[in-house]
Amino acid sequence: SIITTGQHATRYGAGYSDLALEQVRIGMRREDVHAILGEPLQQYSYMQSNECWRYSLPASRSGHYHNRSVSFSQDGRVINVYKGFYFD
């Protein structure tokens, strides 16, 4: 789904909702997060061992969007839940 705020359109994963994101807690396993939020739009590694799942991406060329993501430690546990606005 796409949500537009002015010129800052955001594309969200098929099963994503802000209400569901609020259920994700530090220490949860990847499997639990997947069961709550569904398939992320993008997965990538950072800092050589941590992983991030993005549930939102920009839907316009502005690059500004409502960032919703979950970061995992090397052992697959949630270390950060991010809900904010990204300025490119």
Side-chain angles (χ1 to χ4, degrees):
S1 63
I2 294 180
I3 305 236
T4 303
T5 305
Q7 295 182 10
H8 310 303
T10 300
R11 181 169 53 104
Y12 293 93
Y16 176 83
S17 75
D18 278 346
L19 186 60
L21 183 68
E22 291 175 14
Q23 297 176 34
V24 176
R25 300 284 181 250
I26 302 299
M28 278 185 160
R29 298 174 307 139
R30 281 187 188 99
E31 297 81 16
D32 299 327
V33 173
H34 190 270
I36 293 169
L37 295 175
E39 195 67 28
L41 291 174
Q42 185 180 67
Q43 298 178 28
Y44 65 93
S45 296
Y46 68 99
M47 296 176 61
Q48 299 179 352
S49 61
N50 295 338
E51 184 177 1
C52 183
W53 290 4
R54 283 189 181 165
Y55 284 92
S56 65
L57 292 169
S60 70
R61 292 183 185 204
S62 78
H64 308 319
Y65 70 105
H66 298 272
N67 185 354
R68 306 294 189 261
S69 59
V70 179
S71 296
F72 300 92
S73 64
Q74 188 174 9
D75 67 352
R77 299 280 181 168
V78 173
I79 55 174
N80 187 37
V81 178
Y82 188 77
K83 180 179 176 185
F85 192 77
Y86 178 80
F87 291 95
D88 187 18

